[in-house]
């Protein structure tokens, strides 16, 4: 039987509609407008397209949005100065520095310089630490999107065996940490797999919820999945181009096989991807409320 599709693109649309209403309400009732700055250093085409997509969404939702493009040879000191400026700017509630940064800039130093209350990417160690102790401030956007997909698709997370393949700081580790917390969309029993895991299939076959963020196209085959599992495929891998030059994308899960075994699965594209930017916007609205002491 074919699995139900968890359509991230549709869920993202639903959340954006909610956010748009909230932005209008904040403006009308409190006279504040969520402000997001995206700082892009250099001319990496992928980064340019990510930043453009973030700016476009911010604009559509009615944010005050600033796109700050800087040359690839900007000094670390100047970039730190810019962050300091936005940390102090009351119109800006969320600061996003698009990664990767050029090699001469210490990425960690830059991310640590962002005011944790404006860290809408959720990468600052203060926010990572808060997540760890169950007092999350801003959740990192991709894991936040995954959890929201689980909740909105009605997946039973509490008590589930959740297996995460991948342990990166932006996806694998934070989603594992989120699912193990007490609270809605959590309370799971979590296993994390990586390249040193002895028998990946042993673990994936036990998973009621299988989350794959390995960056290896079609790595998880149908026979590695427990019948009836919910599969969240985070992978976005370009495996070629169409004759027209369009990117051909594959997830980390062999979709055609997996959909015959799983009870629900996210497609690639149109699954986790559209959720990431949406959750960035959700974090920025939250930042606006926190920084303006708005509780309603
Ligand atoms: P990453 O930093 O490269 O981390 C990959 C992780 O997977 C590592 O922990 C690695 O283990 C593990 N891994 C790699 N090959 C493996 C294998 N054969 N068996 C078991 N574990 C393996 O990647 P990432 O940034 O987390 O991204 C993962 C994927 O998600 C990529 O395709 C990326 O494009 C996609 N992604 C999508 C979104 C979105 O919005 N949809 C956002 C972020 C990332 P080790 O630690 O042992 O090396």
């Amino acid at each position: 039987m074919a699995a139900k599709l968890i359509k991230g693109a549709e869920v993202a649309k639903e959340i954006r509609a909610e956010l748009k209403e909230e932005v209008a309400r904040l403006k009308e009732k409190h006279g504040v407008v969520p402000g997001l700055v995206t700082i892009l250093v250099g001319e990496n085409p992928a980064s340019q397209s990510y930043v453009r997509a973030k700016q476009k969404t911010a604009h559509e939702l009615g944010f005050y949005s600033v796109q700050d493009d800087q040359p690839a040879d900007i000094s670390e000191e100047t970039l730190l100065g810019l962050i300091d400026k936005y940390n102090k700017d009351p119109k800006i509630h969320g600061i996003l520095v698009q990664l990767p940064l050029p090699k001469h800039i210490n990425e960690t130093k830059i991310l640590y310089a962002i005011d944790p209350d404006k860290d809408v990417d959720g990468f600052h160690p203060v926010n990572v630490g808060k997540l760890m102790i169950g007092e999350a401030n801003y959740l990192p956007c991709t894991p936040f999107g995954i959890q929201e997909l689980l909740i909105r698709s009605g997946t039973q997370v509490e008590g589930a065996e959740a297996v995460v393949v991948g342990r990166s700081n932006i996806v694998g580790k934070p989603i594992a940490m989120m699912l193990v917390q007490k609270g809605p969309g959590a309370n799971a029993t979590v296993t994390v797999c990586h390249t040193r895991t002895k028998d990946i299939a042993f673990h994936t076959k036990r998973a009621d919820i299988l989350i794959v963020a390995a960056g290896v196209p079609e790595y998880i085959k149908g026979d590695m999945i427990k019948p009836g599992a919910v599969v969240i495929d985070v992978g976005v891998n370009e495996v070629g181009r169409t004759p027209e030059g369009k990117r051909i994308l594959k997830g980390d899960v062999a979709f055609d096989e997996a959909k015959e075994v799983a009870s629900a699965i996210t497609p690639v594209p149109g699954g986790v991807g559209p959720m990431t930017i949406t959750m960035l916007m959700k974090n920025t609205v939250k930042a606006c409320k926190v920084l303006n002491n708005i509780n309603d």
Side-chain angles (χ1 to χ4, degrees):
M1 205 184 83
K4 178 183 97 177
L5 276 187
I6 301 177
K7 294 178 185 160
E10 284 180 11
V11 179
K13 217 164 139 189
E14 202 177 288
I15 298 173
R16 285 178 201 191
E18 293 164 11
L19 287 174
K20 202 167 175 176
E21 267 181 35
E22 179 65 352
V23 172
R25 190 190 71 87
L26 286 172
K27 200 168 179 178
E28 197 178 304
K29 184 162 181 205
H30 298 281
V32 296
V33 177
L36 174 70
V37 61
T38 50
I39 303 174
L40 172 66
V41 178
E43 287 170 7
N44 176 327
S47 295
Q48 281 174 330
S49 95
Y50 293 143
V51 164
R52 263 200 306 274
K54 287 166 190 173
Q55 281 296 332
K56 184 170 170 269
T57 310
H59 194 74
E60 280 165 7
L61 296 184
F63 284 23
Y64 167 64
S65 59
V66 177
Q67 183 172 340
D68 192 336
D69 292 347
Q70 295 293 328
D73 62 355
I74 186 175
S75 71
E76 191 175 280
E77 204 186 337
T78 310
L79 189 53
L80 286 169
L82 262 185
I83 289 172
D84 186 49
K85 180 183 94 170
Y86 291 121
N87 278 342
K88 291 176 180 148
D89 184 342
K91 288 210 301 244
I92 295 294
H93 310 106
I95 301 173
L96 182 134
V97 178
Q98 186 64 45
L99 301 179
L101 290 169
K103 294 220 167 7
H104 68 279
I105 295 175
N106 181 337
E107 230 166 64
T108 308
K109 207 165 161 185
I110 300 299
L111 294 181
Y112 284 24
I114 297 172
D115 178 347
D117 282 338
K118 295 191 176 186
D119 168 42
V120 286
D121 247 344
F123 293 159
H124 192 286
V126 165
N127 289 323
V128 176
K130 284 188 167 179
L131 162 59
M132 171 95 181
I133 61 172
E135 290 177 13
N137 194 13
Y138 301 114
L139 294 169
C141 302
T142 301
F144 192 6
I146 295 170
Q147 190 176 44
E148 201 67 25
L149 282 182
L150 290 173
I151 293 171
R152 292 188 188 226
S153 63
T155 302
Q156 169 78 28
V157 184
E158 181 165 330
E161 290 289 335
V163 174
V164 179
V165 181
R167 57 174 167 184
S168 71
N169 287 335
I170 63 165
V171 189
K173 274 192 251 177
I175 188 62
M177 193 46 63
M178 285 161 64
L179 295 182
V180 89
Q181 298 295 328
K182 293 180 178 169
N187 274 317
T189 303
V190 182
T191 303
V192 181
C193 301
H194 44 78
T195 55
R196 303 294 192 274
T197 300
K198 278 190 187 139
D199 183 350
I200 295 270
F202 167 79
H203 296 284
T204 59
K205 274 195 272 192
R206 287 190 307 108
D208 301 313
I209 298 172
L210 177 60
I211 298 171
V212 193
V216 182
E218 304 191 309
Y219 174 53
I220 301 294
K221 310 292 182 210
D223 63 2
M224 295 167 77
I225 296 169
K226 178 177 172 177
V230 172
V231 178
I232 307 288
D233 187 354
V234 188
V236 180
N237 308 288
E238 186 179 326
V239 293
R241 297 261 171 174
T242 64
E244 300 77 42
K246 247 184 101 189
R247 299 192 312 150
I248 303 171
L249 299 177
K250 294 271 182 212
D252 286 351
V253 176
F255 182 83
D256 289 341
E257 293 178 18
K259 76 176 196 317
E260 299 304 321
V261 187
S263 64
I265 186 167
T266 57
V268 177
V272 175
M275 292 296 287
T276 299
I277 293 183
T278 302
M279 301 326 271
L280 172 72
M281 302 301 143
K282 197 169 168 80
N283 277 345
T284 307
V285 170
K286 179 177 175 180
C288 172
K289 292 172 78 171
V290 169
L291 290 160
N292 286 290
N293 293 313
I294 296 170
N295 301 311
D296 62 356

